[in-house]
Amino acid sequence: QVQLVESGGGLVQAGGSLRLSCAVSGRTFSSLAMGWFRQAPGKEREFVAAIARSGARTDYADSVKGHFTAPRDHAKNTLYLQMNSLKPEDTAVYYCAAAMASGPLNFQNSYEYWGQGTQVTVSS
């Protein structure tokens, strides 16, 4: 069973930065494609970023391109979400997700495993 544990959320002022971490256990990390999604109050959960199993390919939502990156560290079995130039509209609960099967990495249904989520609040 794959377990995902997010950390690193918190309160930050607009223009600031945060780095989220997602520690993965229960399966060989390199066998998992990984993604980040977020859900703002009153809105549906949406795609943020994804990275392929090897780390060679990444994909980002248009709203975060240029100020979020999602690297993975195979030595630490950890996925990160580096968030820079944060805006109030980035406020949400952020979830990491893992996919064993192949599928479009920007689709929630491609992921079998999910973390518990971590709150990010950006004040104006």
Side-chain angles (χ1 to χ4, degrees), residues 7-67:
S7 61
L11 174 64
V12 64
Q13 288 188 333
S17 297
L18 275 178
R19 188 179 77 162
L20 306 183
S21 299
C22 175
V24 180
S25 61
R27 193 165 184 94
T28 302
F29 188 52
S30 60
S31 69
L32 300 168
M34 300 295 298
W36 287 101
F37 291 77
R38 67 186 181 187
Q39 187 167 21
K43 295 187 177 181
E44 294 186 353
R45 191 160 57 184
E46 65 176 5
F47 169 72
V48 175
I51 185 166
R53 289 166 177 78
S54 66
R57 181 173 59 88
T58 55
D59 189 18
Y60 297 93
D62 288 343
S63 59
V64 306
K65 280 180 183 176
H67 68 111

Side-chain angles (χ1 to χ4, degrees), residues 62-102:
D62 288 343
S63 59
V64 306
K65 280 180 183 176
H67 68 111
F68 285 16
T69 59
R72 61 191 295 167
D73 185 333
H74 287 263
K76 296 182 178 180
N77 291 348
T78 300
L79 171 72
Y80 300 98
L81 185 67
Q82 178 65 46
M83 305 184 291
N84 300 323
S85 302
L86 283 161
K87 308 170 186 176
E89 51 264 42
D90 293 318
T91 295
V93 177
Y94 283 72
Y95 298 90
C96 72
M100 291 192 298
S102 297

